[in-house]
Every structure is written in structure tokens, then in C-alpha cells.
Amino acid sequence: MVSRKVLSIDSAITFVVVVLVLVPSVLLNPPKFKDTFKEKCSQFKEKEEICERAWVLFEQAYVGKDPKTVTPDNYKELFDEFPFTYPCEKTMLWSKTSDLVKLVGKECYFPIGRTLLGHVLDGLFWCGKENSPETFTDFSECTKPKINPYESFWTMAAIRYAQHACKEVKALLNGDVEDPYDTKSFLAESEVPYLDHTKVTKLDVILAVKTKGRPGCNDKSLKDLKSELRKKGIGYDCKEVFRAQLEKCKHEKSADEVCKCQELLKM
């Protein structure tokens, strides 16, 4: 006869074995890329057929192709069918301030991450392989070639985003790095060159700094930016704001409070 004590031990051992077997299997089976894409799309209150159409156009840009052959033009049809539609005067460019732009961009401005495609693809990595129907998500593999599906998507997104901008455009930059206006950034390569001088009157740079002391708005890279804009017939202004002040925006709850917080962004 087997005692209750033995049965309890056997049950515990069985439970542990099941947990040890099941947990790794769960970890090894993350959500499919398509499921993640469509779930994030639905967060925008889009209809199922809209999200499906976006997926089809997105997927055809890179699936079955050698990653290094996928250029920004591969995503042209996707952005033609899903153009930016937010109020163009609420454009907010940024560079090396991803943490801050999510705080100050909410409610009153539309950084690219607040747009449909920007929201869906933010934080994701992807690529295809020649003659394969699969989507692969390994960062190191997908971004190894200089030209790749990930870089090409964001290049086209940045170009179209900049082309959509109008009136006074904000740019939230990091004043604590060597070159706030980095010539190798998406901002310098794919946004500023595509600002339309017939629509954009001025670029207001909000320079986030931890403390005073660096060159700030007198930084050489920002002088180069000003010169580049002048050649395009676009005005320029710059204002230093303490990072700690901007970080307070995350504590604001209502839209009114957030917008008051964003008074910091006014020149």
C-alpha cells in the first residue's frame, strides 16, 4: 500500500517535471511576427481587413528576397496606400531621444511612433530569405547587410514623414552627445533633406540637456543644421531644456496636463 506521503511526493515530482518541460517550450514559441504585427495594428482601432491589407503590402516588400536587395523603394506601395494622415503641423522629429519623445510627444504632437506604421513596427526586427516564405526576426542576421529590410523601411518612413510635415516643425535632440545633429542619423539623411520649404516655415530644435555647460545650441553640428535649412529657405531656432523637466511629462495624466507640460517645447 502506498502512503499519502509518497503520493504527495510523486505528485510534486510530476508537477516539477511538467513545469520544467512546459516552460522552455513556451519560451521557445514566441508569438508569430504576423500575429504581433496585426495585434499592434488593432491597437490603433483599425478594422481587421485594414490590418490584413497593411500586412500583405508590408510582407511583400521583403519576404522571399535576399535582405541586402530590399531597398526603401520596396516599401513604396505600402506607404502609398497607408500615407501619414495626422495634422502635419504636429510633426515631431527626433534623434537619440527615444525615451523622451514618447513622453512629450503624446497627446499634442505626433512623433513617428504615434502613427499607424510607426507604432506597429516600433521595437521589431525582420527580414526574409531568398526563396523562403518565412519572416525571420534575428536582429544580428537581419541587420547585418548595410542595406536591409529594417533600415530600408525606416528610411522610407522617415522620408514620407518629413514630406508630410508643415508649418513649424519640432525636433527633439540630445544635447549630451558629441553631435546632436548626427550626419549619419535618419534625421540628417532621410528627414531634414526632405522637408518641403513650400510647406515648412521653421524647424524648432528642442535640445534636451542634463546640465548646462556643453556647447548647447552653439554646437557645431547644430550650426551645420541651421546652414542646411537656410539653403532650403527654412527658418531655424534652438532652445535648451533640462531633461529632468521633460521627464516630468510622464507624470501628467490628462491631455490638458500633458499639453501644459509641453509648454516647455514652445520657443
Side-chain angles (χ1 to χ4, degrees):
M1 182 175 177
V2 180
S3 69
R4 288 177 180 271
K5 186 175 181 180
V6 173
L7 283 172
S8 297
I9 293 173
D10 286 345
S11 298
I13 292 173
T14 301
F15 176 74
V16 171
V17 171
V18 170
V19 170
L20 290 174
V21 171
L22 289 180
V23 172
S25 69
V26 171
L27 295 175
L28 291 172
N29 291 284
K32 289 185 178 179
F33 187 86
K34 179 180 180 180
D35 294 337
T36 301
F37 182 102
K38 295 184 71 174
E39 179 184 351
K40 294 182 76 174
C41 179
S42 69
Q43 292 169 359
F44 250 61
K45 304 292 189 290
E46 294 291 354
K47 295 179 180 178
E48 171 66 25
E49 57 267 29
I50 296 297
C51 292
E52 179 62 30
R53 179 58 179 164
W55 167 255
V56 169
L57 292 175
F58 171 73
E59 185 184 41
Q60 74 180 23
Y62 67 89
V63 165
K65 300 178 174 64
D66 182 338
K68 61 179 177 288
T69 68
V70 178
T71 69
D73 282 343
N74 283 65
Y75 294 99
K76 185 176 182 298
E77 189 175 353
L78 173 65
F79 282 96
D80 284 347
E81 192 157 330
F82 291 89
F84 293 108
T85 57
Y86 68 90
C88 60
E89 70 276 9
K90 294 188 176 183
T91 297
M92 177 175 277
L93 309 177
W94 60 274
S95 182
K96 300 177 182 177
T97 52
S98 60
D99 58 332
L100 291 177
V101 78
K102 291 176 181 178
L103 300 179
V104 302
K106 59 186 179 180
E107 304 296 348
C108 303
Y109 292 95
F110 283 82
I112 200 167
R114 273 196 74 197
T115 65
L116 174 61
L117 294 175
H119 170 76
V120 171
L121 279 307
D122 183 30
L124 302 181
F125 301 96
W126 65 91
C127 63
K129 288 185 180 179
E130 196 168 7
N131 302 320
S132 170
E134 300 296 321
T135 291
F136 301 89
T137 57
D138 181 86
F139 172 78
S140 59
E141 286 298 316
C142 289
T143 60
K144 186 181 294 182
K146 185 175 182 180
I147 296 176
N148 62 70
Y150 171 82
E151 292 283 338
S152 292
F153 169 84
W154 287 111
T155 295
M156 179 56 75
I159 290 171
R160 292 297 183 90
Y161 182 69
Q163 290 174 334
H164 180 71
C166 70
K167 300 182 181 178
E168 289 192 16
V169 176
K170 302 292 184 186
L172 183 59
L173 307 185
N174 189 338
D176 296 317
V177 297
E178 190 67 29
D179 293 310
Y181 182 59
D182 185 350
T183 57
K184 295 181 180 179
S185 65
F186 280 113
L187 175 67
E189 293 185 340
S190 306
E191 290 179 326
V192 169
Y194 292 89
L195 292 174
D196 185 345
H197 74 279
T198 65
K199 295 164 55 183
V200 176
T201 57
K202 188 173 71 162
L203 181 67
D204 293 332
V205 170
I206 309 300
L207 196 64
V209 297
K210 289 181 181 178
T211 60
K212 297 287 185 179
R214 297 182 69 89
C217 287
N218 292 316
D219 187 273
K220 182 182 181 303
S221 69
L222 294 178
K223 290 180 179 179
D224 291 340
L225 170 59
K226 182 178 181 179
S227 176
E228 187 175 342
L229 290 168
R230 185 185 294 120
K231 292 176 183 177
K232 291 171 64 68
I234 296 174
Y236 169 88
D237 206 347
C238 179
K239 173 184 178 181
E240 295 176 37
V241 178
F242 286 118
R243 173 178 282 268
Q245 290 178 287
L246 294 171
E247 288 174 343
K248 288 181 180 178
C249 292
K250 68 183 176 184
H251 300 299
E252 309 300 346
K253 304 299 181 184
S254 71
D256 286 341
E257 288 177 325
V258 171
C259 289
K260 284 179 183 177
C261 180
Q262 292 172 352
E263 290 289 317
L264 293 166
L265 305 184
K266 292 187 177 181
M267 306 307 286

